[in-house]
Structure formats: structure tokens, C-alpha cells
Amino acid sequence: MEVKKLSISWQFLIVLVLILQILSALDFDPYRVLGVSRTASQADIKKAYKKLAREWHPDKNKDPGAEDRFIQISKAYEILSNEEKRTNYDHYGDAGENQGYQKQQQREYRFRHFHENFYFDESFFHFPFNSERRDSTDEKYLLHFAHYVNEVVPDSFRKPYLIKITSDWCFSCVHIEPVWKETVQELEGLGVGIGVVHAGYERRLAHHLGAHSTPSILGIINGKVSFFHNAVVRENLRQFVESLLPGNLVEKVTSVSLSSSVTPSQLTAFAYKDYLSFGYVYVGLRGAEEMTRQYNVNVYVPTILIFKEHITKPADVIQARGLKKQVIEDFITQNKYLLAARLTSQKLFHELCPVKRSHRQRKYCVVLLTAEASKLSKPFEAFLSFALANTQDTVRFVHVYSNRQQEFASTLLPDSEAFQGQSAVSILERRNTAGKAVFKTLEDPWTGSENDKFTLLGYLDQLRKDPAFLSSEAVLPELTDELAPVFLLRWFYSASDYLADFRESMFHSNWREMMPLLSLIFSALFILFGTVIVQAFSDSNDERESHPPEKEEVPEKPGKTEPSFPKENSSKVPKKGFVEVTELTDVTYTSNLVRLRPGHMNVVLILSNSTKTSLLQKFAVEVYTFTGSSCLHFSFLSLDKHREWLEYLLEFAQDAAPIPNQYDKHFMERDYTGYVLALNGHKKYFCLFKPQKIVEEEESRGKSPCGLGPKPLKGKLSKLSLWMERLLEGSLQRFYIPSWPELD
């Protein structure tokens, strides 16, 4: 009796432990473990994890429960640091990848048993859109985001994909299921990839594909997504898949000048478009009899011919009444390379000459280095006949145009001068993907003679007996992609793709999808018209300012010069009716330049005693519109008093070359009258304005430079207003000086 009670106690204890474990698992909350809220950012989650991990690490914390606590912290961080797992936990209470779908099925299962226990009529709850009742055909085609990116997109460059976007409680999805099922059975047998995306559980993938409603059907080829917009019937879906394929995959062959093989399947042609050209022949048409007789083709049985270097004789033939897709693909895979293929890219080099995996999987490449124009010459024909007679599976024959792959050819040739203008043959074996290879080159140039063939055959026999026969070692450079399109062609293809996408969006997309595009178009138009209007107003102002009317000369007032302006411009002139111009002397030099406040500039006119009146009047007219700025000050400097100071300053101006032939006859010195300097005293730089060159015009009229009248002097400052605008824009060249010189 006691033994029985003891066994019952142990059983009860085991059940209690299991219940506690289940309750603890159900009670696991990663947010509570890390001590963060449900709206916490990734930075907060990471910060909390690092803090708790340092605190509860078993190597640092000797608490008996530290290890279990550390495991919980790590598990919580693993869930919350992954957005997909975190979303699943927030929605369904579990972080599994497919827990959302499983929870939905569990709820439906409990609901079904609920109404069965209460004896509800089964037909009352028989909804056709219920996922439990739906046909299970779609389950094996379900796509996840990672599967789509890593497998479907790369595989779409070999075959097209037809994908359906569906969801629960979708009546239209139920209506198209019979047509979808029949079409899938037909197209999948032909080689079309099939996929199904559940928008309820794969929202990220549905949004990535651009599907905003269900049901949606789309096709993917070469990584590009195209939507199906017609009625969902079997024939329309077939035509949609055919429209995804390029139109020139299979060409019709009507003459004996055949250079492509025959295939009954466009999908097979698309899968091997990078290796072969495809064509077809209708044997019942006129002109096909000569071709069938030439190649000995049985017109009553489907036949596929593979042509390689020689088009007069097929390299391989297959005939069968029922050519299945797998049989065709196996046949083409065995014959997709030429007998002596030309290496045109690094990708093709990897395929034809793979890296050695083990001693039993050695692959050798016999490379012919020849000039581009010598493909039909005797050396190439002899190399081709040698490759045709080869029976070893471990040897592959290729050739390279040495003038197109110069670095690759020079690496394999020990003495380039000895092989100058001649062909050469090398045997190589690749050791790793980084380019390391061992090789041996025939000592003499390859001429295609019988002696060369015997020599090459002897090398291959020695290599079969002793793999160490390849004594030379080198790192081969990557091959240049000879067939890559030029930049303009790539740009044209990209532009055509964008235009096609835009056209499809315009005609088929809904307003929700079109809103970003319409917003971009209207924003661009607004900016364009706004720029045009602003530019129009600015141009009109520039015209009025660049063509001021003739001003009447007024007597100079000490320190102040008043220009006369027309009445129509009176509303646009500054409030002051004069320009305050001070003379730059040793008294005002410090306040007006050396200690000038930051951001302020002093515009200084260079003049002489004889040109003072005329130049000051013209200077006042030109700078009057800029007197409204409180950061500009205007001064003039006497050239007769301070020539040395000016010449010292102009030494720092790289382009301050003097005006040629403009000299003062009395002193034989350069004439700097009309020069204008914009001096920034705080940053120690200046900008330079040089007057217009009008002396040559005066000399052509027979006048002397020293006899300059008032009008030529005023003409020196004719473009000063434009220079002032550039000064305010900050687009003038600046000449920096170490320090301001003293004004003697």
C-alpha cells in the first residue's frame, strides 16, 4: 500500500513539474525580461540587453540561477532584435516564423470543435473562403520574403515566374481558384515557376512587390515585376506568360545557312539564351525538303540538331516522338558549350575551367592564345580538330583573343617576344577562386603542324600520369567582359525600362499607387514655373539698373555727392538722396579699414586730383543703388599721395596686370585711376575692379592719353554696378594679404 502511494506521489510530482514548465514557457515575456516597453526602439533594446548580459553573465555572477537568467535574456534579445520575430510575438504571442499561420489554424480548429460540440449544422459554417476549407494546392507554392529574394529573383533570369497574391476572407480569390489551379498544372509542366504570397502573413513581401489589393497576379522575369490586368481565364494567363519572354528567342530558319539549333520550347530557349541561339523549321513548308535531306532528318519524328563550330554537320542529334522537357534540357546542357569555346568573361571562365575541388575532380583547360583575325587559320583549325578527337572528360579546350585579353595572355607566356604575332598553347589548372593557377606552356609557337599535335598529346599523357607536371605557378588576372554593353547602351536600356514602367503605372495603377508620382510631377512643375517667374522679374530689374539715364553733372560737395535720378525710379532708390564718400587718409585709415567690423566692407575708388570730380560723379551714380546696405562703406583714395600703398596691395593680386600703353607722360608711371578696391578689414582680403580699356579707342582717333576728357573718364566705371552685384553675391575672386600696410 505504501509503495502504491509512493508511486502515485511520484506521478503527481512529475505532472506538476511539467505543468509548471508549460506555464513558465507561456508566461515568458521578452519585454519584461529586458525591462523595456513594447514601444521601445532597437537602441533601447540593445542598451538594456548589454546591461543585463554584463550583470548576469555566468562567468561574473556566481548566483545559482545566473545561467538560466542569462539564457532568458539572450532569448528575449534574439526575439526583440529581429523585426519579423518581434512582430509575430506582438501579434500571436510567439516568435516562430510561421506561428501566425499556425495560430490562425488553431483558432479555426477550436472554433470548428466548438460548434460541433453544440451540434450546429455543418453547412451553416461552410464558408468557401475559410483557409481550412481552401484547396491545399497553394500551400506548396507559398513564398516568404527571404525565399523570394534569395531564390526566386536569381532564378527569374532563367525562367519566368507567375505569382498570385491572396488573403483570407477574399471572395474574388475563391472565384479564380479553379482557373488558377488548371493554369498552374499546365505552366508548371512547361517550366514556369509558380508562387503564392499570402498578404495577411507576408505583408512585407506583398508591399515589396507593389500589390495593394487581393487577388493580384504578377509575373517576374529578369528580376522585373509585371502585373496581370486582364480577365482571369486560362488563355489570358498563358498569353501573359508568353508576353514576359523576349520576342526574338526562337528564329524561323528557312535556308541551309543554319547557325542555330531547333527547339520546341520558348522557355528552354530563355533558360539557355546566354549559351545558344535557337531556331525552328516547319518541315511541311517549301524549302524545308533540302534541309531535311542534307541533315538526314526524319520528318515524322520531332528532331533537335545541335550545331557548333561547323554548320555543315550537326555536333549532336536527338529524335523521339515524345520529347519531354527534362530530356530536352539534359540534351542541351550536355552541348551548350562549343568544342573550343572562346573565353569572353570571367563568368564563362569559371564555368569552363572550374576550380579543383579534390584530387579526383581535377579539371584541366587547354588554352589557345591567338590573334582575333586568325580564327579560321590553320592553327585554329588544327586546335579544333585536336579538341574534336579528345576523349578525356577532365580536359576542356578553349581559346582566347590575345589582343583583347592582353594581361591574361602575357601571364601565360613566359617570353612574349618569342611568341610575338604567333599562337601559343598552354595547359592550366585553377587552384582557387582568387586566380591562383598552375600551368605549362608549349615551348614553341603553335602552328597547327603534326609535330605540334604530338607534342601537345605528349604533354597531356604526362599530365595524366603526374599532376605535378604543371610546374609554373601564377595568379591569373580577371578576364575583361568583352560582350558587356557600352555605357550609352546600358543607359538606353534603363531609360526604356523606366518608360515602360511609367506607361504601365499610368494606364493600370490605381490612384493610391499614383499619388507619389503625381506629387513628384506637380512639385517639379511648381518649382519650374516659380523659377521662371522669379527669373523674369530679376531680369527686368537688371535691365533697368544696367541702362541708367544720362545724369547731369552737379558741383561736388565735400564728402557728399548727389546723383540725379529720374522720377520713375524714385520709388526704388534708397532713402538718402546722396552717396556719402569719405577720403581714405592716415586719420580715417584705422576706423574705415583696419578696425572695420566683421561682415563690413569698404569700397574704395582710386583717383587723382585731375580726375577727382568726374570719377566721383560717375562712382556715385554706379554705387547709389547699393547704399541701402549698412555693411558697405564708400571711400576714395588719392593716387598722388598713396601710390606706394596701392602698388604694395596690387602685388597680391595675381590678375592685376596693368593696362598696356597707359602711362603718364610726365612721370612715366602706370595709371591706376578708375580702379576700385573692395576691402574686408576683418578677414584681410580685397576684391579688385579694373576700368574699361578705352585708351586704344582714343589713340585711334589721334588723341593723346593725357588729354582724356570727362566722358572717357566716366566710361572707366561703366560696368561697376555689375561688379558690385557680383561682390554682394560673393562670386568675385579674393586676394588675401598677411596684414594691412601702413598708409603713409
Side-chain angles (χ1 to χ4, degrees):
M1 188 68 179
E2 294 179 357
V3 175
K4 187 176 181 180
K5 289 183 179 180
L6 185 61
S7 62
I8 294 175
S9 301
W10 276 107
Q11 292 177 0
F12 177 76
L13 182 61
I14 293 173
V15 172
L16 182 62
V17 171
L18 291 176
I19 292 174
L20 291 176
Q21 288 181 352
I22 294 173
L23 291 177
S24 63
L26 293 175
D27 193 46
F28 177 76
D29 185 1
Y31 294 101
R32 181 176 54 80
V33 171
L34 295 182
V36 296
S37 63
R38 289 185 173 269
T39 59
S41 62
Q42 288 294 334
D44 297 336
I45 294 173
K46 188 175 182 180
K47 183 178 179 180
Y49 166 72
K50 288 185 176 180
K51 180 181 178 181
L52 293 174
R54 286 194 297 266
E55 180 181 354
W56 291 97
H57 197 281
D59 295 341
K60 297 182 179 179
N61 196 323
K62 302 305 180 182
D63 191 290
E67 184 175 358
D68 294 336
R69 177 67 172 170
F70 184 79
I71 293 175
Q72 287 187 348
I73 294 171
S74 301
K75 183 179 178 181
Y77 180 70
E78 180 183 358
I79 295 174
L80 298 184
S81 61
N82 189 308
E83 292 294 342
E84 186 175 355
K85 293 182 179 181
R86 183 179 181 181
T87 303
N88 288 335
Y89 179 83
D90 293 339
H91 291 171
Y92 313 112
D94 202 309
E97 294 183 357
N98 299 320
Q99 292 302 319
Y101 189 72
Q102 295 172 1
K103 291 288 181 180
Q104 178 72 12
Q105 289 183 333
Q106 292 174 4
R107 287 196 295 269
E108 292 169 356
Y109 178 81
R110 292 194 296 267
F111 176 74
R112 185 174 67 252
H113 283 268
F114 171 79
H115 73 74
E116 284 177 355
N117 292 335
F118 282 87
Y119 303 102
F120 286 116
D121 185 10
E122 182 73 17
S123 61
F124 181 78
F125 287 94
H126 182 57
F127 296 110
F129 42 80
N130 189 288
S131 61
E132 184 71 20
R133 304 289 184 183
R134 188 181 300 166
D135 198 326
S136 60
T137 307
D138 292 347
E139 293 183 2
K140 66 177 182 178
Y141 302 116
L142 287 176
L143 297 178
H144 303 286
F145 185 82
H147 178 230
Y148 170 79
V149 173
N150 298 327
E151 297 185 20
V152 174
V153 173
D155 199 33
S156 67
F157 289 86
R158 298 188 69 254
K159 65 179 180 182
Y161 271 81
L162 190 66
I163 297 178
K164 179 182 70 172
I165 313 296
T166 184
S167 64
D168 289 334
W169 308 99
C170 174
F171 290 96
S172 300
C173 300
V174 178
H175 294 161
I176 68 172
E177 273 191 3
V179 179
W180 172 260
K181 183 177 179 180
E182 294 178 1
T183 307
V184 165
Q185 291 178 352
E186 177 187 0
L187 296 181
E188 189 179 19
L190 297 176
V192 178
I194 305 297
V196 176
V197 177
H198 198 291
Y201 308 128
E202 287 293 335
R203 297 180 182 178
R204 180 184 179 188
L205 179 55
H207 180 73
H208 178 77
L209 294 173
H212 303 290
S213 61
T214 57
S216 296
I217 297 178
L218 52 92
I220 301 177
I221 190 168
N222 292 332
K224 181 182 177 182
V225 179
S226 300
F227 279 84
F228 174 76
H229 301 287
N230 296 329
V232 183
V233 295
R234 185 175 177 181
E235 187 62 27
N236 289 346
L237 290 173
R238 289 187 59 184
Q239 293 178 359
F240 173 66
V241 174
E242 292 178 0
S243 66
L244 296 176
L245 299 171
N248 57 347
L249 285 176
V250 183
E251 299 180 359
K252 186 176 181 180
V253 180
T254 58
S255 64
V256 296
S257 59
L258 182 64
S259 60
S260 58
S261 60
V262 181
T263 176
S265 175
Q266 282 188 330
L267 296 172
T268 305
F270 178 75
Y272 295 93
K273 65 182 183 301
D274 295 334
Y275 303 96
L276 297 96
S277 298
F278 294 83
Y280 67 94
V281 177
Y282 283 138
V283 295
L285 298 179
R286 182 183 303 175
E289 297 178 358
E290 182 181 356
M291 188 177 300
T292 57
R293 186 170 53 254
Q294 178 182 355
Y295 299 118
N296 194 20
V297 176
N298 186 356
V299 297
Y300 300 103
V301 179
T303 306
I304 299 179
L305 309 177
I306 293 287
F307 294 86
K308 294 188 177 180
E309 281 84 356
H310 299 292
I311 64 174
T312 58
K313 182 181 179 181
D316 202 353
V317 181
I318 183 174
Q319 291 183 341
R321 292 193 178 275
L323 285 176
K324 296 183 178 180
K325 179 178 181 295
Q326 189 61 40
V327 176
I328 296 175
E329 289 190 353
D330 293 342
F331 176 70
I332 293 177
T333 303
Q334 296 173 2
N335 296 278
K336 68 178 183 179
Y337 297 116
L338 297 173
L339 295 175
R342 180 164 69 92
L343 298 180
T344 57
S345 65
Q346 190 69 17
K347 176 185 175 183
L348 188 60
F349 186 39
H350 289 324
E351 296 178 1
L352 292 173
C353 303
V355 177
K356 183 190 73 170
R357 300 299 181 186
S358 64
H359 294 286
R360 296 183 179 181
Q361 297 180 352
R362 291 181 178 273
K363 294 291 184 181
Y364 301 103
C365 269
V366 182
V367 184
L368 172 66
L369 305 173
T370 181
E372 183 175 356
S374 61
K375 182 175 182 180
L376 300 179
S377 61
K378 180 181 177 181
F380 182 80
E381 292 293 340
F383 185 78
L384 187 61
S385 64
F386 190 92
L388 183 61
N390 174 63
T391 58
Q392 301 182 26
D393 296 336
T394 58
V395 179
R396 184 67 61 84
F397 292 83
V398 296
H399 71 282
V400 175
Y401 287 160
S402 54
N403 56 332
R404 293 195 178 186
Q405 307 289 347
Q406 296 181 2
E407 294 185 9
F408 183 85
S410 60
T411 305
L412 296 178
L413 295 178
D415 188 3
S416 302
E417 297 181 357
F419 294 90
Q420 186 71 26
Q422 300 187 37
S423 302
V425 173
S426 294
I427 306 173
L428 63 87
E429 179 188 14
R430 299 181 62 201
R431 293 297 176 87
N432 55 33
T433 56
K436 183 179 179 181
V438 292
F439 68 94
K440 189 173 184 62
T441 305
L442 270 65
E443 297 179 356
D444 299 325
W446 176 267
T447 60
S449 62
E450 295 296 328
N451 187 24
D452 292 341
K453 293 182 181 180
F454 280 118
T455 303
L456 180 57
L457 183 61
Y459 276 30
L460 293 177
D461 290 339
Q462 295 182 37
L463 183 60
R464 186 172 62 254
K465 299 176 184 178
D466 183 15
F469 177 71
L470 303 179
S471 56
S472 301
E473 185 176 334
V475 177
L476 299 177
E478 288 194 2
L479 294 172
T480 305
D481 192 354
E482 301 177 10
L483 304 180
V486 296
F487 171 76
L488 292 178
L489 197 59
R490 293 199 303 268
W491 182 87
F492 175 77
Y493 289 154
S494 301
S496 62
D497 291 340
Y498 280 120
L499 290 177
D501 294 341
F502 176 77
R503 177 179 176 276
E504 184 177 2
S505 300
M506 288 292 294
F507 286 97
H508 300 292
S509 297
N510 53 34
W511 284 104
R512 180 181 177 182
E513 298 174 356
M514 289 292 295
M515 283 303 295
L517 180 61
L518 293 176
S519 176
L520 178 62
I521 293 175
F522 281 113
S523 300
L525 292 176
F526 177 78
I527 294 174
L528 178 62
F529 283 107
T531 305
V532 171
I533 293 173
V534 172
Q535 187 67 27
F537 278 103
S538 62
D539 290 344
S540 61
N541 292 336
D542 291 344
E543 286 185 2
R544 287 195 294 266
E545 293 179 2
S546 60
H547 300 285
E550 292 291 337
K551 311 296 186 305
E552 295 181 0
E553 297 183 5
V554 296
E556 177 197 357
K557 295 183 179 180
K560 297 182 180 180
T561 307
E562 297 182 6
S564 59
F565 292 90
K567 293 182 179 180
E568 59 268 26
N569 291 339
S570 60
S571 60
K572 297 188 179 293
V573 298
K575 294 181 180 180
K576 292 183 179 181
F578 58 92
V579 179
E580 185 174 355
V581 183
T582 59
E583 184 178 3
L584 197 63
T585 61
D586 53 350
V587 178
T588 61
Y589 181 75
T590 302
S591 59
N592 288 356
L593 178 59
V594 178
R595 295 183 179 178
L596 203 61
R597 287 181 294 175
H600 287 240
M601 299 189 72
N602 196 346
V603 182
V604 180
L605 170 67
I606 308 300
L607 49 76
S608 60
N609 293 333
S610 60
T611 60
K612 183 176 182 180
T613 303
S614 300
L615 288 181
L616 274 178
Q617 291 179 356
K618 181 61 177 177
F619 180 73
V621 171
E622 293 292 331
V623 303
Y624 181 78
T625 56
F626 303 96
T627 55
S629 174
S630 59
C631 299
L632 293 179
H633 309 273
F634 302 94
S635 305
F636 67 90
L637 182 73
S638 176
L639 185 63
D640 301 328
K641 301 178 182 178
H642 308 291
R643 173 180 292 272
E644 294 182 1
W645 180 89
L646 177 63
E647 289 180 347
Y648 172 80
L649 219 62
L650 293 182
E651 289 180 358
F652 296 92
Q654 299 176 0
D655 60 343
I659 300 176
N661 300 325
Q662 189 169 346
Y663 297 98
D664 191 331
K665 287 188 175 182
H666 296 284
F667 303 99
M668 295 300 293
E669 293 177 340
R670 296 171 183 173
D671 185 11
Y672 295 111
T673 56
Y675 277 42
V676 178
L677 304 176
L679 308 175
N680 190 315
H682 179 70
K683 293 188 177 181
K684 296 183 177 61
Y685 72 82
F686 66 92
C687 301
L688 177 63
F689 169 82
K690 294 187 296 183
Q692 298 297 309
K693 300 180 180 180
I694 61 171
V695 181
E696 295 180 0
E697 298 180 2
E698 295 296 327
E699 289 179 347
S700 62
R701 299 177 185 177
K703 297 181 180 180
S704 173
C706 63
L708 295 173
K711 290 185 178 180
L713 287 176
K714 291 183 178 181
K716 288 186 174 184
L717 304 177
S718 59
K719 293 186 178 181
L720 181 60
S721 59
L722 300 178
W723 181 83
M724 290 292 298
E725 291 179 0
R726 293 185 59 193
L727 175 66
L728 297 180
E729 293 173 357
S731 59
L732 291 176
Q733 184 179 3
R734 299 177 180 181
F735 306 102
Y736 289 85
I737 62 173
S739 61
W740 295 110
E742 295 183 358
L743 189 66
D744 297 330

